[in-house]
Amino acid sequence: MTEYDFETYPTDPDSMSEYLQEREAAGNPMTREEGEAYIAWNTAKEQKMGERIARMAPEEEHGKGGIDGLDEAMSARFDLEDARFEVQALVETAEDAERAAGGKRPIKRERDIVASEGFSGMGVTPRGW
């Protein structure tokens, strides 16, 4: 498997979205394999950040200049997670295209479910539960 330098990829969702669009426009879209590798790398990095946050000492949580170190770390972690979702959507689109080429229906995902206007779903359980 090809090794990718994901440290150079954007880690906030807006920049990742822009990066993916630029690659698409340049004729070099992210492949499914590269996307899956990025998701695995991103998940591992996010896990490391979570462990680091859990081990933060109280003095580290409150950074210099009144900026809360814990808030900053959590913000970076959430940005990384959102960037992963951008790539996940790309991988799922590629997977759906492969299924369509094979004559199969796309996989129904949670984000594909659309409720009627005004329906919140509160108090509703799926069948069989």
Side-chain angles (χ1 to χ4, degrees):
M1 184 171 146
T2 307
E3 289 293 321
Y4 302 101
D5 182 17
F6 294 123
E7 294 292 335
T8 62
Y9 285 47
T11 55
D12 67 279
D14 294 334
S15 296
M16 178 55 85
S17 180
E18 188 177 307
Y19 170 76
L20 293 173
Q21 289 171 3
E22 286 173 2
R23 280 189 62 168
E24 183 80 31
N28 182 24
M30 184 179 276
T31 63
R32 181 176 177 184
E33 294 78 24
E34 184 180 4
E36 289 171 347
Y38 175 82
I39 291 167
W41 172 85
N42 183 298
T43 303
K45 183 169 177 119
E46 188 183 333
Q47 219 171 16
K48 286 179 188 174
M49 288 177 80
E51 291 168 1
R52 170 75 176 104
I53 290 168
R55 291 190 319 263
M56 270 187 162
E59 57 273 2
E60 287 179 303
E61 290 181 12
H62 303 288
K64 300 174 187 167
I67 297 174
D68 193 359
L70 182 59
D71 284 348
E72 202 172 283
M74 290 300 289
S75 177
R77 185 176 178 197
F78 291 142
D79 281 350
L80 193 63
E81 179 181 300
D82 289 344
R84 184 179 75 240
F85 292 148
E86 291 286 329
V87 175
Q88 182 69 40
L90 180 101
V91 169
E92 290 171 356
T93 301
E95 183 180 10
D96 288 347
E98 288 174 8
R99 290 180 60 83
K104 297 179 182 177
R105 289 182 169 183
I107 296 173
K108 187 127 185 149
R109 295 182 173 83
E110 186 176 348
R111 71 170 182 271
D112 298 330
I113 299 170
V114 179
S116 58
E117 188 176 337
F119 178 75
S120 69
M122 294 292 290
V124 177
T125 57
R127 281 187 218 171
W129 281 35

